Amino acid sequence: MFHNKKHSLTSGAIIMIAMRWIDRLVGIVSTFILARILVPDDFGIVAMASVIVAFADIIFDLGINIALIQRKNPSQAYYNTAWTLRILQTATVAAVLMILAPFAADYYKDARVTAVIQMMALSLMVTSFENVGIINFQKDLRFVDDAKYVLFKRLVMFVMTIALTFVLQSYWGMIIGAFCGRLAATIRSYMVHPMRPRFALSEFGEIFGISQWVLVKNISSFLDRKMHIFLVGGLATTRITGGYTLAAEISDVPGTDLLAPINRVLFPAFARARDNLQELTRLLLRVQAIQVMVTFPACVGFVLTAHEFVPVALGEKWVFIVPFIQVLALSNIIQSINSSANYVLTVIGKMRLLALTSWIQLGLFSTGAFLLRHDLTPERIAQLRMGAIVMTFGVSYSLLMRNIPGLTVRMLARGTGRPLLGCLAMVGALTLLEAEVAAPNWLMLLLKVATGVLVYGLVVLGLWRLAGRPDGAESYFLNKLKRPAPAAAAAVPSEVK
């Protein structure tokens, strides 16, 4: 039974992940184009408003998607209640935002924030009417349908945002473009799925029973991800806030954004295996090894090429964000390792433990910020965030091992040794290259990327051969390269060493 599920998961997920990466690529390209058209001050206005809007949205988030995916056979009444709750939740958020917008502008010392927050609130209301039936794309592992829908939304938003920003030469192009993308996606959701939800609250009690700890976890996770941006917005200029926010977004690319498509597949996959701990453990080890193999060199490489990447991709006006990118990208290495563990804890119903972990990390960051409140700078805020992430690194895995019998540190570490040594070799090679070669930024960037890929690949493959070619991430990727996609589905390693 699980063999068939794994085969279906892997073969379908290959296409879905590729499409989701295309979606992320479109978003990244959009960011780079907007960075060329706009100035840091424009990004600052949008960033300031986005933090307030997202925080208000998360406070009232009932975790409806998780409740629907975890429920094995939800009735139509369950879907109707979920859809109704989402609309009520968003209407509450929109009303709160309309009231708080002027106060947010006072905190940021910029009156332009008020109108932007209010427009974003309207965008949230549009999204709340999205067809709840599209959740079944994830629930039923219909990866291609899910990816097509998300990609449609991204492309509409991309075209509208770039066109409007180019015409208006203002941050309003980003705001209105996002609104158009959300509206188009909501309409499209009723075209791609036949479900027609109605207003109902008959299943409120059961959904809320699942969602209350999701809500606690979401609030802490949001604060952990956005509190540093909020603090920067309060103590720095709009220009610095815009630069810091763009740095945070770009820093997510090599770690979080590379994993986002995989993680979207993982949650329903883990959910299906939650009653078989042996299978769940096997899936966790396999996925973690593959994630580490990709994200370790991507994040480290991004840190080492930031000085060349920023002026080439964004322009000289953004060079001041290089230190932000380097610190935040390092933080994402730890975040990427924790992602699969967090998904497993979620599907086995340990949301309280996840919430506790998030609050511990947030508490450490807040304590550091309070102690250094008279000497805070954007650079120091980024460093505090990284420190809090590092100090809570082991908490998630400690909780995971307590709840997954048989899982050990040795098993978890098997997939990290070779990538770690490969990264160390890459750091040495790029440091030597930078000391010995003088070249324009674009050429140095190409040389660093080529050298990093070559050195990392050779070291990892060499260590893998010396270890006797065990099943692991290396064999997984080599099989993908050697075989057609359908055959590769059977090549997923059963155990990571």
Side-chain angles (χ1 to χ4, degrees):
M1 178 179 67
F2 277 106
H3 174 75
N4 292 334
K5 287 179 180 178
K6 286 190 291 185
H7 182 90
S8 174
L9 168 67
T10 308
S11 58
I14 290 170
I15 301 174
M16 183 272 183
I17 289 172
M19 294 185 70
R20 290 286 297 179
W21 273 333
I22 293 173
D23 165 61
R24 294 305 306 149
L25 178 62
V26 171
I28 294 166
V29 171
S30 174
T31 298
F32 290 160
I33 294 175
L34 291 171
R36 287 283 183 177
I37 298 174
L38 300 175
V39 296
D41 186 74
D42 290 320
F43 272 83
I45 294 297
V46 177
M48 291 170 173
S50 296
V51 171
I52 300 298
V53 172
F55 181 56
D57 188 31
I58 208 73
I59 286 177
F60 296 97
D61 185 6
L62 297 176
I64 291 168
N65 285 17
I66 291 177
L68 283 170
I69 291 175
Q70 285 188 334
R71 179 72 178 264
K72 287 188 176 180
N73 296 297
S75 64
Q76 185 59 49
Y78 202 90
Y79 283 101
N80 291 342
T81 302
W83 183 73
T84 304
L85 285 174
R86 189 169 59 192
I87 293 173
L88 293 176
Q89 161 202 319
T90 309
T92 304
V93 171
V96 169
L97 288 172
M98 291 294 181
I99 297 171
L100 292 182
F103 297 98
D106 289 341
Y107 171 76
Y108 288 123
K109 303 177 182 64
D110 197 316
R112 294 173 293 177
V113 173
T114 299
V116 174
I117 289 177
Q118 292 170 341
M119 184 64 184
M120 286 182 171
L122 292 178
S123 293
L124 288 178
M125 278 304 303
V126 169
T127 303
S128 70
F129 285 90
E130 184 180 65
N131 188 353
V132 70
I134 63 172
I135 294 175
N136 286 337
F137 293 161
Q138 282 184 269
K139 185 177 179 65
D140 300 335
L141 306 183
R142 294 166 58 186
F143 304 128
V144 175
D145 290 333
D146 182 43
K148 284 181 178 178
Y149 174 71
V150 174
L151 188 58
F152 169 84
K153 178 165 56 176
R154 173 70 74 180
L155 288 174
V156 172
M157 194 176 298
F158 171 79
V159 173
M160 294 300 298
T161 299
I162 298 300
L164 287 169
T165 303
F166 183 78
V167 171
L168 298 175
Q169 292 291 305
S170 165
Y171 57 85
W172 278 109
M174 299 171 66
I175 305 302
I176 300 174
F179 177 86
C180 293
R182 290 172 182 264
L183 178 61
T186 299
I187 295 172
R188 180 69 176 170
S189 68
Y190 289 92
M191 299 171 63
V192 299
H193 198 281
M195 185 177 292
R196 296 296 179 264
R198 299 180 179 180
F199 288 99
L201 290 172
S202 58
E203 302 294 329
F204 171 79
E206 184 170 346
I207 291 178
F208 185 73
I210 296 174
S211 301
Q212 55 185 324
W213 284 105
V214 175
L215 175 61
V216 174
K217 167 64 169 58
N218 285 347
I219 292 175
S220 59
S221 296
F222 173 82
L223 291 174
D224 172 55
R225 288 182 290 106
K226 298 297 184 181
M227 178 67 80
H228 60 127
I229 297 176
F230 181 75
L231 290 179
V232 170
L235 66 88
T237 64
T238 305
R239 173 178 175 272
I240 296 297
T241 303
Y244 187 94
T245 304
L246 183 61
E249 184 175 344
I250 293 174
S251 299
D252 281 343
V253 172
T256 306
D257 284 354
L258 277 175
L259 296 183
I262 299 174
N263 288 340
R264 192 173 177 89
V265 176
L266 283 181
F267 183 67
F270 283 147
R272 290 190 171 209
R274 67 174 176 260
D275 296 326
N276 186 325
L277 291 181
Q278 183 179 1
E279 176 64 20
L280 189 62
T281 301
R282 197 157 38 233
L283 181 60
L284 167 66
L285 295 174
R286 179 193 314 137
V287 168
Q288 180 183 269
I290 294 170
Q291 289 177 335
V292 167
M293 185 67 67
V294 174
T295 57
F296 267 32
C299 290
V300 172
F302 200 44
V303 172
L304 297 172
T305 60
H307 281 289
E308 294 79 23
F309 173 83
V310 170
V312 170
L314 305 178
E316 294 291 338
K317 63 187 175 184
W318 294 98
V319 171
F320 72 95
I321 73 173
V322 169
F324 303 150
I325 288 178
Q326 292 177 320
V327 176
L328 295 172
L330 284 176
S331 302
N332 277 327
I333 294 178
I334 306 300
Q335 298 281 67
S336 65
I337 299 174
N338 274 336
S339 62
S340 53
N342 290 343
Y343 273 100
V344 171
L345 288 171
T346 299
V347 300
I348 63 176
K350 301 299 180 180
M351 289 301 301
R352 294 186 184 187
L353 299 180
L354 276 178
L356 175 63
T357 304
S358 294
W359 282 107
I360 290 173
Q361 185 166 302
L362 178 62
L364 289 171
F365 173 78
S366 301
T367 300
F370 177 77
L371 294 175
L372 298 174
R373 62 189 181 279
H374 299 303
D375 195 27
L376 275 182
T377 63
E379 291 87 350
R380 188 152 292 169
I381 289 174
Q383 292 163 2
L384 282 172
R385 172 167 168 75
M386 183 174 69
I389 290 172
V390 171
M391 284 189 284
T392 55
F393 168 64
V395 176
S396 292
Y397 278 96
S398 297
L399 295 174
L400 187 67
M401 287 185 287
R402 289 180 60 185
N403 289 277
I404 303 293
L407 187 64
T408 65
V409 173
R410 183 178 179 182
M411 294 168 65
L412 292 167
R414 284 174 183 171
T416 63
R418 292 186 291 273
L420 181 60
L421 292 173
C423 284
L424 291 175
M426 182 174 67
V427 171
L430 295 189
T431 301
L432 180 63
L433 175 68
E434 194 172 57
E436 297 295 330
V437 177
N441 284 328
W442 66 269
L443 180 56
M444 182 60 76
L445 180 61
L446 291 177
L447 289 173
K448 281 188 172 183
V449 171
T451 302
V453 171
L454 181 62
V455 170
Y456 177 80
L458 289 176
V459 170
V460 169
L461 285 176
L463 292 172
W464 176 65
R465 288 176 180 272
L466 289 174
R469 301 185 182 186
D471 285 337
E474 296 90 348
S475 57
Y476 174 80
F477 284 117
L478 287 174
N479 281 325
K480 292 297 181 186
L481 292 174
K482 292 177 181 178
R483 303 182 185 182
V492 178
S494 60
E495 184 179 357
V496 177
K497 298 183 179 180

